[in-house]
């Protein structure tokens, strides 16, 4: 049995999609959802899905071993960042080499880095008049959006697409591919 922890800061639609994907998998369990925001909608999704969720402050992440201790307690094999918007601290990166993955809503190395998350990314992509965008699933290292790329998938942008329309296309790709890539990493 492999155990996954999902880290999420916001709505958590990817977190929910991943939980549902593995619901009947005998080999993979979503053990816990971790957030840095007590009021993030992901907690309501977690409750509905029957997955425990917890909140840690940024200083808990950065200056204590509380999060790492929780990972050890739950025998976590893989940490999945699904819309997690603070930097993963060094103690977790050291404890989980090549076992922390992130999804980014664009084709890295374009439109990555600090401040590039969620709708900011889609707005920047539209402003730059890109004709395509997509998703990047990558390992996490100590720099934002710079770990080894595991998988990318693209979608077309029509000239009249606004950032919300681009976000919807990107979410479709995320829902289709992220759970499958996670499964591949664990099998
Ligand atoms: C997703 O689109 C994810 O790719 C993005 O945040 C969104 C979270 O949506 N992540 C980043 O921008 C990381 N830099 P969700 O909360 O509905 O899953």
């Amino acid at each position: 049995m492999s155990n996954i922890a999902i880290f999420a800061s916001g709505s958590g639609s990817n977190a929910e999609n991943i939980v549902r994907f593995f619901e009947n998998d005998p080999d993979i369990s979503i053990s816990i959802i971790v957030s840095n925001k007590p009021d993030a909608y992901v907690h309501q999704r977690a409750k509905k899905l029957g997955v425990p969720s917890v909140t840690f402050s940024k200083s808990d992440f950065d200056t204590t071993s509380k999060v790492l201790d929780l990972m050890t307690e739950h025998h976590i094999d893989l940490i999945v960042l699904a819309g997690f918007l603070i930097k993963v601290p060094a103690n977790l990166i050291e404890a989980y080499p090549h076992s922390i993955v992130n999804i980014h809503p664009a084709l890295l190395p374009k439109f990555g880095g600090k401040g590039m998350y969620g709708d900011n990314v889609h707005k920047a992509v539209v402003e730059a008049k890109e004709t395509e965008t997509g998703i990047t699933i990558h390992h996490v290292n100590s720099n934002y959006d710079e770990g080894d790329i595991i998988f990318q998938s693209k979608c077309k942008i029509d000239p009249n697409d606004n950032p919300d329309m681009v976000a919807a296309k990107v979410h479709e790709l995320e829902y289709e591919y992220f759970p499958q890539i996670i499964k591949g990493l664990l099998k």
Side-chain angles (χ1 to χ4, degrees):
M1 169 68 85
S2 297
N3 296 311
I4 294 175
I6 300 177
F7 287 18
S9 302
S11 162
S13 69
N14 276 282
E16 175 164 355
N17 181 56
I18 295 164
V19 171
R20 292 196 185 283
F21 183 88
F22 289 112
E23 237 160 19
N24 297 313
D25 191 314
D27 301 322
I28 295 174
S29 165
I30 310 302
S31 306
I32 188 122
I33 294 176
V34 173
S35 185
N36 60 314
K37 300 257 184 207
D39 54 354
Y41 188 64
V42 70
H43 292 293
Q44 292 185 45
R45 294 188 196 262
K47 199 169 176 197
K48 189 179 68 187
L49 293 161
V51 177
S53 73
V54 289
T55 303
F56 291 103
S57 67
K58 188 166 166 9
S59 75
D60 285 339
F61 274 95
D62 290 347
T63 63
T64 76
S65 66
K66 286 181 188 175
V67 183
L68 182 55
D69 293 346
L70 187 73
M71 298 299 103
T72 309
E73 194 184 304
H74 284 269
H75 306 287
I76 296 301
D77 301 292
L78 184 73
I79 297 175
V80 171
L81 311 186
F84 185 65
L85 303 182
I86 62 173
K87 203 164 179 172
V88 178
N91 67 339
L92 283 177
I93 288 174
E94 277 159 27
Y96 285 90
H98 270 72
S99 299
I100 307 178
V101 290
N102 179 44
I103 190 157
H104 186 77
L107 298 168
L108 291 174
K110 284 175 141 185
F111 304 104
K114 197 164 165 50
M116 276 294 177
Y117 56 84
D119 291 342
N120 293 350
V121 176
H122 307 305
K123 280 182 195 142
V125 164
V126 169
E127 269 166 30
K129 300 199 189 316
E130 294 288 312
T131 55
E132 62 179 20
T133 186
I135 60 168
T136 303
I137 298 168
H138 63 94
H139 291 292
V140 172
N141 65 17
S142 48
N143 295 324
Y144 274 109
D145 301 330
E146 285 183 16
D148 299 340
I149 292 175
I150 301 164
F151 176 85
Q152 291 187 306
S153 177
K154 294 178 182 174
C155 57
K156 293 251 170 294
I157 302 176
D158 297 324
N160 293 328
D161 281 356
N162 63 35
D164 288 345
M165 291 152 93
V166 173
K169 289 180 182 179
V170 168
H171 269 302
E172 284 305 312
L173 294 178
E174 294 184 329
Y175 301 152
E176 180 174 359
Y177 291 111
F178 201 16
Q180 292 186 40
I181 296 295
I182 292 166
K183 187 171 181 170
L185 289 171
L186 288 168
K187 292 267 157 138

